Amino acid sequence: MLEIRDTIYAFSKNAKPVAHIKSGDTVKFITEDCFGGQIKSEDKLVGAIDWNNVNPATGPVYIEGAEPGDVVVVDILSIEVKPQGIGCTIPGASIFDGETEIRTKVLEVKDGYVHYNDIKWPANPMIGVIGCAPAGDDVVSGMAGNHGGNMDSKVITRGVKVYLPVRVKGGLLALGDLHASMADGEMIGAGVEIAGEVVATVSLIKDFKLNWPVTETADYFYVNTSAPSYDEAAELGYREIHRLLMNAYGWDFTDTAIYMSLQGDLCANQTVLMSSWGYNIRVGTPKVSSKRRLIG
């Protein structure tokens, strides 16, 4: 199995690929935590790190045959995280900004549980950053867009598929920013930030229109969007999943819209209150076994 560990800090059409693969190949991505390993103890605070070296994404990988208008499919087979992660407050990233101390907490991840103070809960390792290169300007790996990037969706975990629009030849796939656990919204700016390894099979769907990344779980399809305001992000998500539903189910515009009000879920991925980060959301709809799949 191919293993890669080189990292980038921006998704770019000009990035030099660290590996070339074919559709159907399996790759192990070895990742740093979102701070690039700069925080290892509780006396190191986020204000003292180099913010030019955060959210490293492992890659990029060039997929042979990937062309604009195609879709890269990332089938996540496993996510393994290290036994220690970081939780912290980030200035300017919360409704509690100015009320909380700037604090770092070292968190143990042991026997499948995250340990916090005197409680613990099951770990749910997930991928915060995953995407392909945009066709236009570079996008730093701490931001999200219609190429993917820092979507911070807690459902991007083992056993799901992530569908990414191809904007440039080869796709240039990269991923990183693992969390051992993260709540919807990531309201204070950080999950359990942690290093680890992701094993995924990467394949292609040719000539399929996809405007935004999509996550497929066992039961749902979710469109992931990002915008400067929550309302804009939600509208983009609703419009894209409406388009996919209408095409797959063969219903007219109005019937599809009514159905979405009955069977469409709106969830917060990351809504930290830093306007430069934007709002990342997902809009989902359950799978229906008797109908065509939305993708694939």
Side-chain angles (χ1 to χ4, degrees):
M1 182 193 309
L2 175 66
E3 293 186 6
I4 59 172
R5 61 178 69 242
D6 302 72
T7 57
I8 55 173
Y9 293 93
F11 288 87
S12 172
K13 62 181 181 292
N14 299 312
K16 182 179 179 181
V18 300
H20 285 66
I21 65 172
K22 296 179 180 179
S23 180
D25 284 351
T26 299
V27 181
K28 178 183 285 187
F29 297 82
I30 300 171
T31 71
E32 294 278 1
D33 68 26
C34 82
F35 302 118
Q38 296 182 79
I39 300 178
K40 297 185 182 298
S41 62
E42 293 188 345
D43 60 358
K44 188 68 178 285
L45 304 178
V46 293
I49 68 172
D50 181 358
W51 281 89
N52 292 314
N53 293 308
V54 297
N55 283 97
T58 300
V61 174
Y62 185 104
I63 302 105
E64 300 287 352
E67 301 281 352
D70 297 340
V71 172
V72 167
V73 186
V74 185
D75 189 355
I76 302 168
L77 305 181
S78 67
I79 305 175
E80 300 292 335
V81 296
K82 297 294 185 180
Q84 178 176 296
I86 297 294
C88 65
T89 53
I90 297 178
S94 169
I95 58 171
F96 298 132
D97 192 43
E99 299 177 76
T100 52
E101 297 176 3
I102 307 304
R103 180 178 296 171
T104 296
K105 294 183 73 69
V106 174
L107 304 174
E108 184 181 32
V109 182
K110 182 180 178 182
D111 299 327
Y113 285 84
V114 175
H115 295 257
Y116 185 95
N117 292 349
D118 55 350
I119 66 170
K120 65 179 182 179
W121 61 86
N124 181 38
M126 51 153 289
I127 301 170
V129 172
I130 181 169
C132 290
D137 294 339
D138 296 357
V139 180
V140 296
S141 51
M143 301 287 287
N146 60 18
H147 67 291
N150 190 27
M151 296 185 290
D152 272 338
S153 168
K154 75 175 187 181
V155 302
I156 300 180
T157 187
R158 179 178 65 85
V160 312
K161 293 181 180 180
V162 180
Y163 299 88
L164 299 164
V166 176
R167 308 293 187 197
V168 301
K169 190 173 182 179
L172 300 180
L173 168 70
L175 63 83
D177 182 33
L178 304 187
H179 304 93
S181 176
M182 194 195 86
D184 275 339
E186 199 187 33
M187 62 79 60
I188 209 160
V192 181
E193 309 296 339
I194 202 163
E197 299 178 352
V198 177
V199 176
T201 297
V202 182
S203 57
L204 287 176
I205 298 174
K206 299 295 292 181
D207 300 318
F208 187 90
K209 182 180 179 181
L210 193 62
N211 296 314
W212 290 91
V214 169
T215 306
E216 179 187 356
T217 70
D219 303 313
Y220 267 74
F221 283 101
Y222 292 98
V223 170
N224 300 273
T225 64
S226 178
S229 76
Y230 191 86
D231 287 350
E232 291 174 272
E235 180 174 347
L236 290 166
Y238 276 126
R239 288 192 178 279
E240 179 67 351
I241 207 159
H242 180 279
R243 184 184 68 82
L244 292 169
L245 278 166
M246 193 165 62
N247 289 342
Y249 290 7
W251 296 340
D252 69 15
F253 192 100
T254 301
D255 266 6
T256 305
I258 292 171
Y259 177 74
M260 286 188 59
S261 195
L262 308 176
Q263 286 282 73
D265 290 338
L266 174 63
C267 309
N269 287 342
Q270 181 201 75
T271 56
V272 293
L273 299 181
M274 296 177 70
S275 59
S276 61
W277 289 15
Y279 292 79
N280 302 330
I281 63 98
R282 64 184 184 273
V283 177
T285 194
K287 294 178 177 179
V288 178
S289 60
S290 62
K291 303 296 286 186
R292 281 180 55 201
R293 290 169 49 82
L294 269 60
I295 304 176

